[in-house]
Amino acid sequence: MKTYTTTQGDTWDYIALKEMGSEMHTHLLLKANPDHAKIGIFSSGITLNIPDIPESTVIADSLPPWKKGK
């Protein structure tokens, strides 16, 4: 597990996209950081845990066909 230090204006979905590759992982990010779950928009300097993405989480199945490369 790695960490991320927030900058002013960060949001959960933005951090999930930036650090984990998709907003679809926001729930994993929240689960790894329950002490900060009530924050909507972050101030700078908060250290968050960035969880590893389980292999069973397949985002490609939720993409439309034109984004799957088929």
Side-chain angles (χ1 to χ4, degrees):
M1 185 179 304
K2 62 182 183 175
T3 61
Y4 172 78
T5 303
T6 61
T7 58
Q8 180 68 35
D10 278 348
T11 59
W12 288 106
D13 57 340
Y14 174 75
I15 297 167
L17 175 62
K18 182 177 176 184
E19 296 296 315
M20 301 172 76
S22 174
E23 304 94 335
M24 301 286 284
H25 297 306
T26 301
H27 69 286
L28 298 172
L29 189 57
L30 283 161
K31 186 176 178 181
N33 297 281
D35 293 344
H36 303 292
K38 291 186 178 185
I39 297 174
I41 300 174
F42 287 93
S43 57
S44 61
I46 298 171
T47 301
L48 299 175
N49 294 315
I50 306 297
D52 296 326
I53 301 167
E55 288 186 32
S56 63
T57 307
V58 180
I59 293 177
D61 288 342
S62 66
L63 295 175
W66 61 90
K67 288 195 172 187
K68 291 181 185 179
K70 293 181 179 180

